[in-house]
Amino acid sequence: MAEVLAKKEELADRLEKANEEAIASAIAEEEQLTREIEAEENNDINIETDNDSDFSASMGSGSLSFCGMSLDWNDVLADYEARESWRQNTSWGDIVEEEPARLPGHGIHMHEKLSSPSRKRTIAESKKKYEEKHMKAQQLREKLREEKSLKLQKLLEREKDVRKWKEELLDQRRRMMEEKLLHAEFKREVQLQAIVKKAQEEEAKVNEIAFINTLEAQNKRHDVLSKLKEYEQRLNELQEERQRRQEEKQARDEAVQERKRALEAERQARVEELLTKRKEQEARIEQQRQEKEKAREDAARERARDREERLAALTAAQQEAMEELQKKIQLKHDESIRRHMEQIEQRKEKAAELSSGRHASTDYAPKLTPYERKKQCSLCNVLIASEVYLFSHIKGKKHQQAVRENSSIQGRELSDEEVEHLSLKKYVVDIVIESAAPPEPMKDGEERQKNKKKAKKIKARMNTRAKEYENSVETKNSGSESPYKAKLQRLAKDLVKQLQVQDSGSWVNNKASALDRTLGEIARILEKENVADQIAFQVAGGLTALENILQVVAPATNMNTVSRIPPKSLCNAINVYNLTCSNCSENCTDVLFSNKITFLMDLLIHQLTVYIPDENNAVLGRNTNKQVFEGLTTGLLRAGAVVFSCLIANRPDGNSRPATPKISTQEMKNKPSQGDAFNSRVQDLISYVVNMGLIDRLHGCFLSVQGPVDENPKMATFLQHAAGFLRGICMLCFTVTGRSSSIFDSNHQDPTGLTAALQATDLAGVLHMLYCILFHGTISDASTSPKESYTQNTIQVAIQSLRFFNSFAVLDLSAFQSIVGAEGLSLAFRHMASSLLGHCSQVSCESLLHEVIVCVGYFTVNHPDNQVIVQSGRHPTVLQKLCQLPFQYFSDPRLIKVLFPSLIAACHNNHQNKLILEQEMSCVLLATFIQDFAQTPGHVDNQSSNPKGKCGNPGDYLELANRFPQQAWEEARQFFLKKEKK
């Protein structure tokens, strides 16, 4: 078989080579004909009609008459070329001497002959002679034109034939290529069959070895049991001896306890005395605070009186800022050259550092993949899981201070490079023998059991409320306006019939095809996003039928179990579910109040539980099965995100009574408002999702991503919808937890437990995943710049991830800053933000750029340590890249509202960041921006008039009050107006 295939390939190669040669020949001939046609078309016909016309005619015909002799022009040229070498080797004098001498008087004779009266002609004769010459020239010209047109026609016909021949050859080559592809496919199938056969043989060998190992294990178990009996006998003897010693020790302990009681009495007396002193001190502090509050009120009244003076000063400062900006524009070219030279020097220093053998610095993205063997800082007693955590720890202030204090070098302070080198050589060591497993897994198991019990109680309460809702809902006629109402009702009934007819076994192909056709018809109707069609399908029982289809997934507790319904049909069903709820507030409200959303969450948790092992068996998500990224799990995540976003956009007011669901008037009096019912349902839903461990499962999924997703669109889609799901649940939690309109209010609680779950899992591992897909888990080469250009899949995942970060920052800003600002993650966040800003500088992507800007603002606002992070690292830093954005972000009012709040948050009360900012722009612009917001009429009223929890709208991040605390505006304005001493 192999020889036949090889012979066939050889013949095909020969035929292909011959075809290529024929094509090349056809192309060459076509080009030659084209050149000939162009030459012929460019050859002008010019017939002379003067006294030399006869000579020209004879030249045109290719012959020449001389001295009564007819000579061919080619003969004349040949004779001339033959005599060329003779003329070059003979001097002019010799040539003259060889010419025959003229006869004496020949010139006079010729003059008389030519001047004789007989040679003179009349005007009529001359005119007639020239007319004859013109006629002959015209005839010759017509003849040449005919010959030229005939020749052009022949050349064009030949060119047409050659082109047709070339097209036939190209078609033949295309057919040969198709045959070659078919042959390659056949050869691949043959190779796959051989591989399968070999794998089957290997599997038989493995089974045999496993049987032998089982027998050996049984023998070892018998020996262990016999030894265990001997050990138990010895343990009983040791227990008796230990009991005797214990009695003696108890007697001694009683005497010790007596002494301890006496000491405790003395300590209690001292504690009471200290408490008395502390109460007095607190009273003094309270009195001082009241005095300071009174002084602050006096200062506020003073500022109100001086308002007009400040406005005048601000106008002058604005004028000065404009002049300073014009000067800076003039000097910007010199400044850019200076920065360029600084970057060159930094690269030289980096090259010298790498050549000296020192470890790479944090200026380049380190690996986030975990070490095979964990490391530990023996000085700080901190475990180090990856290179990101290693670099972040050795660059930390606490570690560097500890290294300098424990250094044996006296008389001078160690430099940062010396501290880093000493840390890597001496204090960062591998953990050779790990300690025994602590009892934390047992505690975690007990905690999970408690959470599951709590989730069951919440689910029972939600089911009870769902039954009350179904009993109180009246018949809805909202679908009467749908033009497809009758068809949708028929299709919904078809779904129910197909489920009833099918037995408990696996579906045959024709049944599955019929189900796919029905779902396809429904999807084509609902893709138009007509609300009337969506409501009509829901009223007809469509969502219930889809739930019955998706229920076949729940019994499968093993990833290898074959589902009754094909996965393709399940994906189509969840797609129809998404289309039914997309931008339809009535259906989404019904899904929430009828508790259908719990079924989706249970199914999602089941899918993640099947494909993701327990945390004790999984090491950072390595054991996650890649089938979790298939369509069904992705569709469930998308369905949750769709329902959450629609609920957020159409959340009822506190006392409103929406048209759907319709509740009777008498029951309405005994029930709480629709807004309170909505908040209660959503809180129960979020608590149920958190207690069932969905956040932990998603955490395992995100940690399993260790590389790029450019060539894996299914994984990219999963990550995108998973991040969107987390964003939706965060915004929904913020909407219903009764928070005030200001996100900077720290006096809040989260009864759902969502914040604690995300904080315990480091934002569910989304930052870890985003870092890995951007930097592919490897260190960038020191000689090249980091990669700052990504594909569309990566960009979409990054946008959804950043939106989740921003939504969590709105939910709990302090938790977000503490998580992202911790060791390890802070370095990953800085590299991520810098890389995405670099991508947006090369490729226009406004949505991604705005999310990065907002995220950096939330990361740094009122957090000095995080402000230091955005101005550290290789140049240009994150802060410098924000300052180097296009000019529109400093001139367009819409874009200014996006950028300036983040710059204010990153530089407020940080003089180093302010100096970096002043190198690119004037700080007076930021002060003017704050002043304009403070003077906007009704701004404070708009903030206070919003209902609680309504600060999650998409456009809210454009408001300065949601990006920077309003009580610090005046302080920030004064800070940016103050001149820094350079």
Side-chain angles (χ1 to χ4, degrees):
M1 188 66 178
E3 294 179 356
V4 173
L5 293 176
K7 188 67 176 177
K8 187 174 181 180
E9 289 180 357
E10 183 180 357
L11 293 176
D13 293 339
R14 291 181 181 178
L15 185 59
E16 184 179 1
K17 184 176 180 181
N19 183 263
E20 293 292 338
E21 292 177 355
I23 291 174
S25 176
I27 293 173
E29 186 173 355
E30 182 183 5
E31 293 176 353
Q32 179 64 26
L33 290 173
T34 303
R35 287 194 297 270
E36 290 181 3
I37 291 171
E38 292 177 355
E40 189 65 29
E41 290 177 350
N42 294 331
N43 187 15
D44 296 333
I45 300 175
N46 189 10
I47 304 300
E48 299 292 340
T49 57
D50 54 3
N51 293 332
D52 298 333
S53 59
D54 294 336
F55 178 76
S56 299
S58 62
M59 291 292 290
S61 61
S63 62
L64 180 65
S65 297
F66 181 73
C67 297
M69 299 172 60
S70 179
L71 298 178
D72 189 29
W73 178 251
N74 294 328
D75 296 338
V76 174
L77 292 176
D79 181 66
Y80 178 80
E81 291 177 355
R83 294 173 59 85
E84 181 67 22
S85 60
W86 174 79
R87 283 192 298 272
Q88 292 179 357
N89 298 328
T90 308
S91 63
W92 176 254
D94 296 337
I95 293 174
V96 172
E97 290 179 357
E98 290 182 3
E99 290 294 329
R102 295 184 179 182
L103 296 176
H106 177 72
I108 298 174
H109 175 71
M110 291 300 296
H111 177 71
E112 291 177 355
K113 183 178 178 180
L114 295 174
S115 301
S116 64
S118 61
R119 294 183 58 87
K120 296 182 178 179
R121 299 176 184 174
T122 62
I123 296 174
E125 291 176 351
S126 300
K127 182 178 180 181
K128 182 178 180 180
K129 183 177 180 180
Y130 283 115
E131 288 177 354
E132 291 176 356
K133 288 183 180 181
H134 282 294
M135 186 177 298
K136 290 179 181 180
Q138 184 66 24
Q139 293 175 356
L140 182 60
R141 193 178 293 109
E142 293 294 334
K143 181 178 179 181
L144 291 176
R145 284 198 186 97
E146 292 177 359
E147 291 177 354
K148 180 178 178 180
S149 62
L150 182 61
K151 187 174 181 180
L152 280 174
Q153 183 177 1
K154 291 180 179 180
L155 289 174
L156 291 173
E157 291 177 356
R158 176 59 181 166
E159 185 185 18
K160 183 178 181 182
D161 295 339
V162 169
R163 288 181 178 175
K164 184 177 180 181
W165 177 42
K166 185 180 72 172
E167 292 176 356
E168 292 176 354
L169 291 174
L170 292 174
D171 293 338
Q172 183 179 1
R173 183 173 66 178
R174 184 163 50 254
R175 291 193 297 272
M176 291 168 61
M177 184 62 67
E178 293 175 355
E179 293 176 357
K180 190 173 182 181
L181 292 174
L182 293 174
H183 176 69
E185 182 66 20
F186 174 73
K187 187 175 179 182
R188 178 177 173 273
E189 292 294 336
V190 172
Q191 291 178 353
L192 289 176
Q193 292 176 2
I195 293 171
V196 170
K197 183 177 179 182
K198 185 176 180 181
Q200 292 174 353
E201 295 175 356
E202 294 295 334
E203 184 179 3
K205 293 180 182 179
V206 170
N207 293 334
E208 182 178 357
I209 294 172
F211 177 71
I212 295 171
N213 292 337
T214 304
L215 291 178
E216 292 179 356
Q218 291 177 356
N219 294 334
K220 290 181 180 179
R221 182 174 177 274
H222 183 270
D223 296 339
V224 169
L225 289 175
S226 61
K227 292 182 180 180
L228 183 61
K229 292 180 180 179
E230 297 177 1
Y231 295 157
E232 289 178 352
Q233 184 177 359
R234 294 177 60 187
L235 286 174
N236 292 332
E237 295 176 357
L238 293 174
Q239 186 68 24
E240 294 176 357
E241 181 67 20
R242 189 178 296 109
Q243 183 67 24
R244 182 180 59 81
R245 294 178 180 177
Q246 185 70 21
E247 292 176 356
E248 297 176 356
K249 183 179 179 182
Q250 186 175 3
R252 292 193 300 267
D253 289 343
E254 290 179 357
V256 172
Q257 291 297 330
E258 185 65 27
R259 292 194 299 270
K260 284 185 177 179
R261 283 192 289 272
L263 295 174
E264 181 66 19
E266 295 178 0
R267 190 184 67 83
Q268 288 293 338
R270 291 196 302 270
V271 168
E272 291 178 357
E273 184 180 357
L274 290 175
L275 289 175
T276 304
K277 293 181 179 179
R278 182 175 298 174
K279 290 180 180 179
E280 295 175 356
Q281 185 178 4
E282 289 177 353
R284 290 195 302 270
I285 292 173
E286 180 65 21
Q287 183 179 0
Q288 293 176 0
R289 188 188 65 79
Q290 293 177 358
E291 293 176 355
K292 289 182 180 179
E293 184 67 24
K294 184 177 180 180
R296 189 180 297 109
E297 292 177 356
D298 295 339
R301 288 191 293 271
E302 184 68 22
R303 286 195 299 270
R305 287 194 299 268
D306 296 340
R307 181 182 182 86
E308 296 298 330
E309 297 179 0
R310 289 202 308 272
L311 289 177
L314 179 60
T315 304
Q318 289 178 351
Q319 184 65 26
E320 182 182 356
M322 294 301 297
E323 296 176 357
E324 184 179 356
L325 182 60
Q326 292 177 355
K327 294 179 182 179
K328 285 191 175 182
I329 292 174
Q330 296 294 332
L331 299 175
K332 193 164 185 178
H333 180 67
D334 298 336
E335 183 67 19
S336 62
I337 294 176
R338 184 187 62 79
R339 290 197 304 269
H340 179 66
M341 297 304 296
E342 288 178 358
Q343 292 177 2
I344 292 175
E345 292 297 327
Q346 291 173 0
R347 291 179 182 177
K348 289 181 180 179
E349 293 175 2
K350 183 64 182 177
E353 178 183 353
L354 293 175
S355 62
S356 63
R358 289 187 293 177
H359 204 280
S361 67
T362 56
D363 291 345
Y364 301 94
K367 293 181 180 179
L368 191 56
T369 53
Y371 287 126
E372 294 294 335
R373 178 181 293 176
K374 292 184 178 179
K375 299 180 182 294
Q376 182 181 13
C377 178
S378 60
L379 185 61
C380 304
N381 196 19
V382 175
L383 291 178
I384 298 173
S386 64
E387 285 189 351
V388 171
Y389 287 87
L390 172 63
F391 294 154
S392 182
H393 179 69
I394 64 178
K395 289 290 186 180
K397 295 181 180 179
K398 295 181 179 179
H399 175 77
Q400 291 187 354
Q401 184 65 26
V403 171
R404 289 187 173 94
E405 291 176 357
N406 289 272
S407 174
S408 59
I409 301 177
Q410 301 295 333
R412 69 179 181 87
E413 186 177 0
L414 296 178
S415 63
D416 293 342
E417 290 78 10
E418 291 175 338
V419 170
E420 179 184 355
H421 183 73
L422 185 60
S423 300
L424 294 172
K425 292 295 183 182
K426 183 177 180 181
Y427 297 112
V428 177
V429 295
D430 294 336
I431 300 178
V432 180
I433 301 176
E434 296 185 357
S435 60
E440 292 181 0
M442 185 177 297
K443 294 182 180 179
D444 292 341
E446 294 176 359
E447 188 69 20
R448 283 197 294 269
Q449 292 297 331
K450 292 180 180 178
N451 291 337
K452 287 183 179 179
K453 291 181 180 179
K454 185 177 179 181
K456 289 181 180 179
K457 294 180 180 179
I458 295 173
K459 187 175 181 180
R461 183 167 66 247
M462 295 172 70
N463 289 333
T464 303
R465 293 179 178 177
K467 292 180 181 179
E468 296 175 358
Y469 164 79
E470 292 174 356
N471 295 332
S472 61
V473 173
E474 299 177 357
T475 304
K476 290 174 280 189
N477 297 321
S478 301
S480 59
E481 299 177 359
S482 171
Y484 299 97
K485 179 180 179 181
K487 186 174 182 180
L488 289 171
Q489 291 177 348
R490 178 179 59 81
L491 292 174
K493 292 179 180 179
D494 289 343
L495 290 178
V496 175
K497 289 180 181 178
Q498 290 174 1
L499 291 172
Q500 292 175 350
V501 172
Q502 183 62 29
D503 54 6
S504 59
S506 300
W507 286 41
V508 293
N509 293 334
N510 57 349
K511 296 288 185 181
S513 300
L515 178 61
D516 290 338
R517 285 194 298 271
T518 304
L519 293 173
E521 292 183 20
I522 298 172
R524 283 189 290 273
I525 295 174
L526 297 180
E527 281 175 353
K528 301 176 182 178
E529 293 189 357
N530 187 354
V531 177
D533 295 340
Q534 294 171 326
I535 296 176
F537 180 71
Q538 186 270 331
V539 171
L543 292 181
T544 304
L546 293 176
E547 285 185 358
N548 294 332
I549 294 174
L550 296 172
Q551 279 179 353
V552 301
V553 181
T557 58
N558 190 350
M559 67 184 70
N560 297 323
T561 305
V562 178
S563 176
R564 290 175 50 205
I565 300 178
K568 180 182 177 182
S569 301
L570 297 175
C571 294
N572 292 335
I574 195 64
N575 182 39
V576 173
Y577 204 110
N578 287 323
L579 293 175
T580 306
C581 298
S582 179
N583 296 324
C584 182
S585 60
E586 291 82 0
N587 286 352
C588 292
T589 305
D590 182 81
V591 168
L592 175 65
F593 282 85
S594 63
N595 210 23
K596 291 183 176 65
I597 188 66
T598 308
F599 169 77
L600 293 179
M601 296 299 102
D602 289 340
L603 193 59
L604 176 59
I605 293 171
H606 172 268
Q607 286 292 102
L608 296 176
T609 304
V610 170
Y611 294 109
I612 302 175
D614 293 334
E615 295 176 355
N616 297 335
N617 299 328
V619 181
L620 288 178
R622 292 182 181 177
N623 297 334
T624 300
N625 192 291
K626 300 305 179 184
Q627 294 180 5
V628 73
F629 302 116
E630 296 299 329
L632 180 57
T633 311
T634 304
L636 292 170
L637 288 169
R638 181 187 173 192
V642 167
V643 173
F644 292 163
S645 62
C646 190
L647 291 175
I648 294 168
N650 299 278
R651 180 208 171 191
D653 294 333
N655 299 317
S656 65
R657 304 284 180 176
T660 303
K662 295 182 178 178
I663 304 175
S664 61
T665 307
Q666 185 174 359
E667 291 178 346
M668 189 182 300
K669 297 179 181 178
N670 301 326
K671 291 184 177 292
S673 65
Q674 186 66 19
D676 295 336
F678 177 88
N679 294 344
S680 178
R681 295 291 180 91
V682 172
Q683 287 185 12
D684 288 344
L685 173 62
I686 298 175
S687 299
Y688 177 76
V689 169
V690 172
N691 288 306
M692 286 299 293
L694 179 59
I695 303 299
D696 296 332
R697 298 296 177 180
L698 290 177
H699 178 232
C701 288
F702 286 120
L703 291 183
S704 66
V705 180
Q706 298 291 333
V709 295
D710 301 340
E711 299 178 358
N712 196 340
K714 290 185 178 180
M715 181 182 291
T717 305
F718 175 88
L719 297 176
Q720 180 179 347
H721 290 303
F725 177 88
L726 292 174
R727 171 178 178 260
I729 200 171
C730 286
M731 295 178 65
L732 200 60
C733 182
F734 178 82
T735 304
V736 301
T737 50
R739 291 276 307 279
S740 63
S741 59
S742 176
I743 68 174
F744 302 99
D745 184 12
S746 59
N747 297 326
H748 65 87
Q749 294 180 353
D750 184 9
T752 63
L754 177 63
T755 303
L758 292 175
Q759 194 167 5
T761 56
D762 290 340
L763 296 178
V766 177
L767 182 56
H768 178 281
M769 173 273 299
L770 185 58
Y771 185 91
C772 289
I773 68 173
L774 292 179
F775 300 98
H776 301 174
T778 59
I779 297 179
S780 302
D781 188 6
S783 61
T784 60
S785 299
K787 179 181 178 182
E788 292 184 348
S789 180
Y790 305 105
T791 61
Q792 191 62 28
N793 287 339
T794 304
I795 294 304
Q796 290 301 321
V797 174
I799 291 174
Q800 291 298 332
S801 301
L802 289 169
R803 287 175 178 172
F804 162 58
F805 294 160
N806 293 333
S807 64
F808 181 73
V810 171
L811 177 63
D812 195 332
L813 181 62
S814 60
F816 171 77
Q817 291 177 340
S818 62
I819 294 171
V820 183
E823 282 190 359
L825 291 183
S826 61
L827 180 60
F829 178 83
R830 173 166 65 81
H831 283 295
M832 178 270 297
S834 178
S835 181
L836 292 179
L837 287 174
H839 170 81
C840 294
S841 66
Q842 298 177 4
V843 181
S844 177
C845 186
E846 184 175 282
S847 57
L848 174 63
L849 180 57
H850 288 185
E851 295 298 334
V852 175
I853 293 172
V854 174
C855 192
V856 172
Y858 285 141
F859 176 71
T860 56
V861 60
N862 288 340
H863 203 291
D865 294 338
N866 291 350
Q867 288 177 340
V868 175
I869 292 173
V870 297
Q871 58 94 2
S872 60
R874 67 179 300 176
H875 292 272
T877 62
V878 175
L879 181 59
Q880 289 175 336
K881 287 185 177 181
L882 289 178
C883 297
Q884 294 172 2
L885 289 177
F887 182 73
Q888 291 81 358
Y889 283 85
F890 301 89
S891 59
D892 189 352
R894 180 181 67 87
L895 300 178
I896 286 176
K897 290 183 179 180
V898 178
L899 175 61
F900 278 18
S902 294
L903 294 179
I904 294 170
C907 301
H908 178 234
N909 288 335
N910 190 308
H911 298 279
Q912 182 66 28
N913 289 4
K914 183 181 178 183
L915 291 175
I916 295 173
L917 180 67
E918 287 180 341
Q919 294 177 1
E920 301 293 338
M921 61 177 291
S922 175
C923 293
V924 180
L925 295 177
L926 300 181
T928 305
F929 176 78
I930 296 173
Q931 183 67 26
D932 293 339
F933 258 89
Q935 292 178 353
T936 301
H939 174 73
V940 179
D941 296 335
N942 292 334
Q943 290 295 326
S944 60
S945 62
N946 288 335
K948 291 186 177 181
K950 282 288 186 178
C951 191
N953 296 329
D956 283 346
Y957 68 86
L958 294 179
E959 298 296 332
L960 180 60
N962 295 329
R963 304 276 298 281
F964 190 78
Q966 189 171 358
Q967 60 271 19
W969 285 5
E970 182 61 24
E971 179 185 356
R973 190 182 71 84
Q974 296 295 337
F975 173 78
F976 288 111
L977 287 176
K978 182 180 179 181
K979 296 294 183 180
E980 293 291 336
K981 296 180 181 180
K982 298 183 180 180

